[in-house]
Amino acid sequence: MAFSLCKQTLSLLGALALASGMPASVGAASYGAGIENSQWYLAESVFECSLVHEVPGYGKAVFRHQAGEALSFFLEAEHPMMRPGRGSLVVEAPAWRPGVAPRPMGTVNVSDGSRPVLLDTRQAMILARGLLEGMRPTVTRESWFDGSPVRVQISNINFSGQFQRYRTCTSNLLPVNYGQIRRSRIPFNSGSASLSGADRTLLDNIVTYVLADTTVERVFVDGHSDRLGSRIDNRALSEERANVVADYLKARGISEDLIIVRAHGDQYPVSRRPADNRRTTIRLQREGERPEFQQANAYGGEPAG
């Protein structure tokens, strides 16, 4: 019964493949652009640089470098073709360069989903170097349908010039991205409201990002203290800590209209350790993002808003 269901499933997948233009039998199927249709497209901004290559019949190959992160590479599939597991990465010569031996570059992890292959920085650089040398990197993995090989080839044609533009783009990226500084924390010593060099570096990165991203509409600055000492003193100290951070942001160019300063004293501890509670938090909010609401219980995190 299980075998019959499996055959029915494979038959259905084969029918879907035919309907979508994919080969029903993926026996040693190869996907890749030829000389006449090999193109690379650059999408560039201070937030991200992406170099995109259309792989006819398969999907896309993408070099991506997001601000504050390292280079990565991924394959984006229009349809699931490769079975999850370990595939191979080989840098091989194109058909018009006979006699050049292929270079095996190890294995790659093939996962489920629309981006089945994701390479780290080292593997992405190996792949880029192969393309610059006029080679054709190829990822191979058995198919979902019958276990025969699926080969995705990445063309070097028209790559070199666009890659130089891509490298120029990456040199102009911001030092951080939104996810990295959307929520930030400045720690303080007991009784202190002084900023360290590391604190200033973090705040400078926040300023650089906010000035570049016009969709940021709020910068919440919340001061906190531990529970040592009187509540009145702790409230005043948390206010001083919040103002020190807010004043630094304003002095570096963030509009006062964007900044909302609040002081909470010892009302919202995040830990039983006093050092963890001596802090000012900075939270950015973009246009269209819903304000987050949290119940501010003991050890329960930041207040709402």
Side-chain angles (χ1 to χ4, degrees):
M1 178 67 176
F3 178 72
S4 176
L5 287 173
C6 182
K7 286 184 65 179
Q8 291 176 10
T9 300
L10 288 173
S11 297
L12 176 59
L13 289 172
L16 289 173
L18 286 172
S20 62
M22 295 161 45
S25 175
V26 199
S30 292
Y31 300 90
I35 296 176
E36 72 288 348
N37 63 348
S38 176
Q39 295 294 332
W40 289 86
Y41 304 96
L42 177 64
E44 54 186 324
S45 72
V46 295
F47 306 107
E48 181 181 321
C49 305
S50 296
L51 192 55
V52 182
H53 173 59
E54 299 285 345
V55 182
Y58 180 82
K60 298 176 181 178
V62 181
F63 287 95
R64 184 188 187 208
H65 196 146
Q66 190 176 8
E69 298 185 5
L71 168 70
S72 65
F73 171 88
F74 60 86
L75 292 179
E76 188 169 277
E78 295 174 353
H79 308 280
M81 297 186 188
M82 296 180 177
R83 188 188 304 276
R86 303 300 292 175
S88 66
L89 174 62
V90 176
V91 177
E92 56 189 21
W96 55 89
R97 293 180 62 187
V100 179
R103 300 199 305 265
M105 306 309 299
T107 62
V108 296
N109 183 55
V110 178
S111 62
D112 201 359
S114 61
R115 293 183 179 177
V117 175
L118 174 63
L119 304 186
D120 60 21
T121 302
R122 184 187 68 84
Q123 289 179 309
M125 287 306 300
I126 289 172
L127 195 148
R129 187 162 56 247
L131 290 167
L132 291 171
E133 293 171 354
M135 302 290 277
R136 191 167 192 169
T138 302
V139 175
T140 304
R141 173 64 183 160
E142 65 183 47
S143 76
W144 266 113
F145 306 103
D146 58 10
S148 56
V150 173
R151 289 162 43 86
V152 179
Q153 300 173 325
I154 304 159
S155 173
N156 67 295
I157 302 299
N158 298 316
F159 175 77
S160 180
Q162 290 289 63
F163 189 70
Q164 297 309 314
R165 290 183 58 207
Y166 172 81
R167 296 191 68 174
T168 300
C169 174
T170 61
S171 68
N172 295 318
L173 287 171
L174 297 175
V176 292
N177 60 60
Y178 185 65
Q180 291 172 330
I181 47 87
R182 178 172 178 256
R183 287 182 175 274
S184 303
R185 176 182 179 275
I186 302 293
F188 290 94
N189 293 324
S190 180
S192 171
S194 298
L195 298 174
S196 68
D199 299 334
R200 291 185 176 88
T201 298
L202 172 59
L203 293 175
D204 286 341
N205 285 339
I206 291 173
V207 170
T208 300
Y209 184 88
V210 171
L211 294 180
D213 188 349
T214 57
T215 68
V216 175
E217 64 177 5
R218 293 285 185 274
V219 180
F220 295 95
V221 178
D222 290 275
H224 302 268
S225 73
D226 58 31
R227 287 183 168 174
L228 304 177
S230 72
R231 285 208 155 184
I232 293 176
D233 290 342
N234 288 341
R235 175 67 171 72
L237 183 57
S238 72
E239 184 175 9
E240 184 180 0
R241 287 168 174 165
N243 285 330
V244 162
V245 170
D247 289 345
Y248 189 94
L249 296 176
K250 287 183 282 188
R252 291 300 187 274
I254 294 183
S255 170
E256 185 173 358
D257 294 339
L258 293 182
I259 300 174
I260 297 177
V261 181
R262 301 177 294 194
H264 307 282
D266 56 18
Q267 189 176 1
Y268 301 112
V270 293
S271 169
R272 296 184 185 277
R273 298 179 64 248
D276 294 336
N277 298 319
R278 299 191 290 263
R279 71 204 189 277
T280 290
T281 59
I282 305 101
R283 182 171 67 81
L284 309 184
Q285 180 178 301
R286 282 171 163 171
E287 295 173 2
E289 290 182 340
R290 294 183 60 187
E292 299 176 9
F293 294 93
Q294 297 175 330
Q295 185 174 358
N297 296 324
Y299 310 107
E302 303 300 328

